[in-house]
Amino acid sequence: GRTKRHADAASSVWMGDLPLIWTRHGGQYKRLRALLRSYLPRDVPQPWIKTVVRKAYRSRRQSRDGGAGGENSKDEDDRPYLGYAIVVFRDAEEASSVIAVMDGTDVSPRT
């Protein structure tokens, strides 16, 4: 079948603050797919990953070496890049159920 080029906004979910490792294209975003599979309700099929942007913005959090990492940080370039994905589900009801389950989930790598 053909996928829709423009998905309905209600059935689309923006997943942000994704570390670079989650947005790597190898294996068709296998880590991102595994993350979705582990959190999706059983009755929701694997969604379509429409867009992935690897280096969208920098983290506001403290860098690994202990730098400040705030908005006015002197060492702004030390903050890690974060990406986002736009994931499309079959309908708005599925998207809402996934948002309810995954909202606020921290997927940052443990250091």
Side-chain angles (χ1 to χ4, degrees):
R2 300 182 82 174
T3 57
K4 292 191 289 186
R5 183 173 181 172
H6 301 288
D8 183 29
S11 63
S12 301
V13 174
W14 182 86
M15 297 178 64
D17 289 354
L18 297 173
L20 290 180
I21 195 164
W22 293 102
T23 59
R24 187 171 295 144
H25 185 59
Q28 293 294 327
Y29 308 111
K30 68 179 182 179
R31 289 177 190 251
L32 183 56
R33 288 188 187 282
L35 173 72
L36 287 167
R37 190 171 33 257
S38 66
Y39 282 96
L40 288 177
R42 295 274 182 225
D43 58 337
V44 176
Q46 191 74 9
W48 168 40
I49 299 175
K50 182 178 180 180
T51 304
V52 174
V53 177
R54 292 198 74 206
K55 292 184 175 182
Y57 48 91
R58 290 194 183 268
S59 171
R60 289 186 184 172
R61 294 183 188 154
Q62 195 170 4
S63 64
R64 288 184 192 154
D65 63 357
E71 293 233 0
N72 298 324
S73 173
K74 214 173 178 184
D75 299 337
E76 185 174 302
D77 294 337
D78 289 344
R79 295 180 294 150
Y81 276 106
L82 296 175
Y84 67 87
I86 297 175
V87 181
V88 180
F89 293 89
R90 291 185 301 183
D91 56 26
E93 186 178 323
E94 284 183 359
S96 297
S97 67
V98 171
I99 289 171
V101 172
M102 292 190 70
D103 192 26
T105 301
D106 184 12
V107 295
S108 60
R110 306 289 181 234
T111 57

